[in-house]
Amino acid sequence: MKEEFLHYIWQHQYFDKTNLLTVEGEPVQVLRVGMYNTDAGPDFKEAIIRVGEVDWSGSVEIHLRGSDWRRHQHQLDFKYNQVVLHVVWEADEAVRRTDGTLIPTLELKARVNLAMLQTYEQLRRAPYAIPCAIFWPQVPDITKTMMLGRALTERLELKGEEVLQVYRQLGNDWEATAFQVLCKAFGFKINQEPFERLARALPMQVVRKHQHDLFQLEALLFGQSGFLTEPVDDYSAKLANEHTYLSHKYNLQELAMPRHHWNFLRMRPANFPTVRLAQLAALLHKHKSLFSTIIQTEGVKNYDALWQAPVSAYWQKHYTFGAESKAVQVQLGKSSAQNLTINVAAPFLAAYAVHTDQQEHLDKAVDLLEKVKEASNRITRQYEELGWKAASAADNQAALGLYKRYCQPVNCLRCAIGNKIMKQNLPTT
């Protein structure tokens, strides 16, 4: 057993309260459970506990054993002087504040339905990626739907907060934030890290000054990415010369990346990082205010079109420098465009919803994801095996949020599905 189980039992008051007594023999009544505290200090704050005939306002601390109080050295910590009740599974030792005064203790071992404990241990020790897999059919669909909706909102809010962190780091510059987030997404997992490094190697204030010129954008992007150190044809030589001039002008030399950081192995030519860089240059050239465009665009089809931009004539015939090809896929594929909608547009809308305190931006993000069709992945297939089907990117994002925040860390007691399973074994007294 872990303390989280006792936290859950206390928070929901899932124990027998008949003739409730402290281990010291005094009657005890819970008037207010208190607020669960995830920071340092006692577990539940602002509780009200009646011991005997006196109402005490303060905190409740929870341990598996009474001796854990001393083991955690709470007797030396002034933050714990406010504790008015010590709740334990087994009271093996009395506890005191820093001034030596005794703290009433409540033992729960004989008051908790053991079937609930057994269910908790089954979830905690389950040999499945989805801990509640064997219980899943017993849970009402409405509970699953509600929890998946909550997981989607939490995931969007988390992604939005990541965008806001970048925004703060970049001095509250939305366009610089859009550039950095877009670069990361343009890596499409395999080249995500080098694209992130590129965003740091090429400041947005430099990009801004040259968005009107596609050739100069390519010189900056390919040069800072390390692809122009050894030109192999006339065009790469011209880009290299332009990059040399611009890098000296803006002191970019020390920020430039080595070419070997980029991955080409086991990739279709249309996904080569050179092609992605050409597409990124075209996109930056097309949208002088990318952030505003992301926020103001309406409809899935318009978002698909947002990510498409005509690449330069050279990249209409090349996948890499120096190797001309007759048939080149110069536009982002539909799945790649949808990936950018999911991983750039939706998080930006969520971030802007928090920044402006306007819920409609978050609602727009959810609506957008609900209209994007996305293939299942390794994680969502695990839920599909339990009988759940994803119909959109919103469903996939919900499943990812549920898995990463609740299933993977076995955080079942904070999940509505896990809570429903636990409630099936509520005490009858």
Side-chain angles (χ1 to χ4, degrees):
M1 185 199 306
K2 290 189 174 182
E3 278 185 12
E4 65 169 1
F5 177 71
L6 292 185
H7 292 168
Y8 175 80
I9 293 296
W10 175 260
Q11 186 171 18
H12 297 283
Q13 296 289 282
Y14 289 159
F15 58 92
D16 182 7
K17 301 181 188 66
T18 306
N19 297 322
L20 199 60
L21 299 172
T22 67
V23 295
E24 294 82 16
E26 291 189 276
V28 58
Q29 184 177 351
V30 182
L31 302 180
R32 185 191 295 166
V33 172
M35 296 186 300
Y36 187 54
N37 175 36
T38 57
D39 298 320
D43 296 314
F44 288 84
K45 295 185 174 182
E46 298 182 26
I48 299 179
I49 309 296
R50 178 172 295 164
V51 181
E53 298 180 355
V54 179
D55 292 351
W56 296 89
S57 178
S59 299
V60 173
E61 176 68 1
I62 295 176
H63 288 123
L64 294 179
R65 298 176 182 81
S67 54
D68 289 339
W69 179 277
R70 178 173 46 81
R71 189 164 61 86
H72 296 164
Q73 297 190 330
H74 295 334
Q75 77 280 8
L76 305 176
D77 192 334
F78 287 94
K79 289 193 298 290
Y80 290 84
N81 283 344
Q82 61 186 291
V83 172
V84 296
L85 184 67
H86 190 212
V87 178
V88 298
W89 181 255
E90 182 179 356
D92 62 343
E93 186 176 297
V95 300
R96 298 179 182 275
R97 301 181 181 89
T98 58
D99 62 0
T101 55
L102 185 70
I103 299 176
T105 296
L106 176 64
E107 184 180 74
L108 296 182
K109 182 168 61 175
R111 293 182 173 273
V112 174
N113 187 321
L114 294 182
M116 289 192 77
L117 176 58
Q118 183 179 13
T119 300
Y120 164 73
E121 290 295 342
Q122 278 185 275
L123 290 170
R124 189 167 74 89
R125 302 177 186 277
Y128 316 108
I130 312 300
C132 64
I134 62 172
F135 298 100
W136 186 270
Q138 304 169 19
V139 179
D141 288 343
I142 190 171
T143 302
K144 298 171 189 172
T145 301
M146 181 200 72
M147 187 60 209
L148 284 162
R150 175 178 142 195
L152 172 61
T153 300
E154 290 175 347
R155 183 166 173 81
L156 272 174
E157 289 174 345
L158 179 62
K159 285 192 164 190
E161 179 53 37
E162 291 173 355
V163 171
L164 288 173
Q165 287 179 6
V166 175
Y167 171 71
R168 297 182 196 110
Q169 290 168 1
L170 295 176
N172 299 344
D173 185 332
W174 280 118
E175 289 301 326
T177 304
F179 174 62
Q180 192 161 116
V181 173
L182 181 64
C183 278
K184 178 180 179 180
F186 246 85
F188 296 98
K189 291 185 179 180
I190 295 177
N191 277 300
Q192 180 176 307
E193 184 179 348
F195 262 103
E196 284 187 273
R197 291 193 60 182
L198 171 61
R200 296 192 294 271
L202 181 57
M204 184 59 192
Q205 58 263 36
V206 175
V207 173
R208 274 197 191 97
K209 294 177 181 179
H210 299 277
Q211 279 185 275
H212 65 284
D213 191 318
L214 181 56
F215 177 77
Q216 290 182 327
L217 281 176
E218 286 191 7
L220 287 167
L221 288 168
F222 283 105
Q224 291 303 102
S225 298
F227 285 104
L228 301 178
T229 53
E230 297 179 4
V232 293
D233 60 11
D234 288 344
Y235 189 70
S236 57
K238 290 178 181 178
L239 286 177
N241 287 336
E242 186 68 16
H243 176 255
T244 298
Y245 165 72
L246 292 173
S247 64
H248 280 88
K249 181 177 180 179
Y250 298 113
N251 295 316
L252 300 177
Q253 300 93 326
E254 293 184 3
L255 297 176
M257 299 166 55
R259 184 194 179 287
H260 68 263
H261 283 195
W262 297 93
N263 300 307
F264 284 83
L265 290 177
R266 293 183 291 278
M267 295 180 68
R268 294 173 55 246
N271 296 330
F272 281 175
T274 43
V275 175
R276 295 302 189 203
L277 286 167
Q279 292 168 340
L280 178 59
L283 188 58
L284 293 169
H285 179 60
K286 176 183 176 183
H287 300 294
K288 303 303 186 291
S289 180
L290 184 61
F291 166 72
S292 297
T293 304
I294 291 172
I295 296 299
Q296 295 170 7
T297 297
E298 297 289 341
V300 173
K301 289 185 179 179
N302 289 329
Y303 272 101
D304 285 346
L306 186 159
W307 311 116
Q308 304 291 355
V311 297
S312 64
Y314 182 87
W315 292 106
Q316 294 175 24
K317 297 180 180 180
H318 294 78
Y319 286 119
T320 59
F321 284 113
E324 185 170 335
S325 299
K326 292 182 179 180
V328 176
Q329 181 182 329
V330 296
Q331 297 289 345
L332 280 169
K334 185 174 182 179
S335 62
S336 295
Q338 289 182 339
N339 187 291
L340 293 176
T341 298
I342 294 166
N343 293 300
V344 179
F348 258 97
L349 288 166
Y352 203 58
V354 174
H355 180 73
T356 60
D357 194 25
Q358 295 178 344
Q359 176 69 24
E360 58 263 32
H361 295 296
L362 183 61
D363 294 340
K364 179 180 174 180
V366 173
D367 182 67
L368 186 61
L369 292 176
E370 287 176 344
K371 289 181 171 61
V372 173
K373 302 299 180 184
E374 185 186 29
S376 59
N377 55 57
R378 176 183 59 84
I379 291 175
T380 59
R381 281 193 291 273
Q382 296 181 77
Y383 293 97
E384 289 177 354
E385 290 172 1
L386 298 177
W388 174 83
K389 284 288 184 181
S392 66
D395 291 337
N396 278 350
Q397 290 295 305
L400 288 169
L402 183 64
Y403 180 79
K404 292 184 177 181
R405 188 161 186 169
Y406 297 95
C407 299
Q408 189 176 40
V410 196
N411 198 11
C412 302
L413 299 183
R414 300 294 165 191
C415 171
I417 296 171
N419 205 356
K420 190 70 174 179
I421 292 166
M422 292 293 292
K423 283 182 179 180
Q424 293 171 355
N425 291 297
L426 279 172
T428 56
T429 55

